[in-house]
Amino acid sequence: MNLHAIRAIYTFEMNRALRTLLQSVVSPILSTSLYFVVFGAAIGSRIETVEGVSYGAFIVPGLIMLSVLVQSVSAASFGIFAPKYSGAIYELLSAPASFIEVTAGYVLAAATRSLVIGLIILGTSFLFIDITILHPFWMIGFLMLTCLSFALFGFIIGIWARNFEQLQLVPMLIVTPLVFLGGSFYSITMLPPVWQTITLFNPVVYLVSGFRWAFFGAADVSVGWSVLAIAGFTLVCLAVIAWIFRTGYRLRK
Amino acid sequence: MADIVSVRDVQKTYDSGFQALKTVSLDIREGEVLALLGPNGAGKTTLISLICGIARLTGGTITVGGHDVVTDYRATRRLIGLVPQELHLDPFEKVINAMRFTRGLFGFPQDDALIEKVLRRLALWEKRDSRIIELSGGMKRRVLIAKALAHSPRILFLDEPSAGVDVELRKDMWRIVDELKKDGVTIILTTHYIEEAEAIADRIAVIDKGEIKLIQEKAELMRQMGRKQMIIELQQPVDAVPDTLAPYGLELGEGGTLVYSYDTRGERTGITKLLSDISAAGLTLRDVQTHQSSLEDIFVDLVQGDAQ
């Protein structure tokens, strides 16, 4: 195992994140604060409670998920896309590092970055709303698994993308709508029955639901399903990456 | 010298169907400087990419230091440093961090003393904290070399090291190659600058259309294939070669001169007899110059000869 390689890629990626600290940290804090002001204070004051918690508190897990999913995908996808685009990928391909080590370096860095952002948003929410986290260890566990699985997904997108447009396409057109429609800002029980059934095909529903359970003890779907959904999604991503590395898809000519 | 790289019946066809290498076999000796000479699109970069593991083999085998590049890639790649043709660098990274990244990637713990030594050798030490985007093109190329040397490779590939660099930097690059050779590093450089191969290579391989046309010691190659020409300037320029000199195969040169081509390998060059026959033909010598054919002439002959 080439641990030096994993560390080198991880350090390189974390340095890149630190270089763009303003964009990485300040931007999610600002957007979350705006969400709290608009949804929590303005609109939330007209809504009594959802599943027994105030609306402002109810949206916290969804807001964290929204940022964490988008950040995991974009950090990991850009991480591997950048050397592909600049040509510096030659170094990764000619290094004595296996694809597992290369993936680990990029994915761990992207996951760390989004985990930190998730925790910062959680910290910010404490400034606006009183929240008690019922199952803190499950909350951290869900958060970490989500960061990792979506960083894996982002890594696949980064290898697949041939240009910047394709790189933006998936986060913009797939991830964000899935998060918004995945019960981030509402309980899916608020939807008409047909839409409740359709929503169950959205994997993000399971993430948000499980995460919200860790906070408030109430969930749209059972926690077991949520854990299975995240684990399943991670396994699918790992299988795709294994295939990419075996075939050299869009990496090795 | 033992062989450090062995390329056996290697073929490469890209997914597009383009056959970049037909069947190539080549042995590279430890400690030598080998120049891979060939026109654009000849297959030079493909061959390097296959040895370094950037491209996949279609057929054949390659061993580096006795290890197979596919089945034992960790061992082979640790031995190799690669300086690519293009300036492939992260523009926002600091020079020293870029080097540390490469060293780690190649599986070595950080060694600040070695990094300082390499950066000093390449006159980059003062620029170690500069971001790559702030450097000139020549400096960026040095950074690429520094990165390739970050893990002290035994084999260094330089892909078109002089493409787009000024004369001063090119000479500097040759000096670095010479120093590395003295350290025992095997160097393989691709180039289409004949002058470069002529200046620094021990052996020369000519590659064209995916095939190795020739591989030979540079000096031997030039001796074997080198023609020498003698340009004879006369007091009274001539407009035709006199009949009595016909056996010498003289050609008419510029300004009414006579041009005599001869083989340097021959026991007798025929010069003495030619000069006395010129005198016997009633011509008076004004000046005599000789010209040794360069590697460029040899290369053009080989590639053109193949095309015909």
Side-chain angles (χ1 to χ4, degrees), chain A residues 81 197 238:
Chain A
F81 178 78
T197 314
L238 283 173

Side-chain angles (χ1 to χ4, degrees), chain A residues 32-64 121-122 124-132 184-186 190 212 215-216:
Chain A
T32 311
S33 303
L34 290 174
Y35 276 114
F36 279 124
V37 170
V38 174
F39 289 108
I43 297 175
S45 62
R46 306 286 176 99
I47 301 171
E48 289 185 3
T49 55
V50 182
E51 291 174 357
V53 285
S54 75
Y55 187 64
F58 179 81
I59 61 169
V60 169
L63 276 179
I64 295 174
I121 293 173
L122 180 64
T124 312
S125 69
F126 284 123
L127 300 176
F128 292 87
I129 292 147
D130 251 354
I131 314 171
T132 315
S184 303
F185 301 109
Y186 54 85
M190 292 158 90
R212 189 171 284 137
F215 274 78
F216 310 120

Side-chain angles (χ1 to χ4, degrees), chain A residues 1-2 4-5 8-9 12 15 19 86-88 90-98 101 245-248 252-253, chain B residues 12 14 52-56 73-74 77-78 82 84 88 90 92-93 101-102 104-109 144 147:
Chain A
M1 192 78 167
N2 185 351
H4 290 296
I9 297 171
F12 181 88
N15 280 342
R19 281 203 302 263
S86 73
Y90 83 90
E91 212 172 11
L92 291 172
L93 298 179
S94 63
S98 72
E101 289 145 8
F245 284 12
R246 211 177 47 246
T247 58
R252 232 179 267 277
K253 289 177 188 169
Chain B
K12 177 63 188 175
Y14 286 106
C52 296
I54 295 170
R56 291 162 173 267
Y73 71 94
R74 285 190 199 266
R77 293 183 193 174
R78 279 169 75 102
L82 167 64
H88 296 315
D90 182 313
F92 303 107
E93 192 54 278
F101 173 72
T102 308
L105 201 58
F106 276 75
F108 291 86
L144 283 175
K147 275 164 76 70

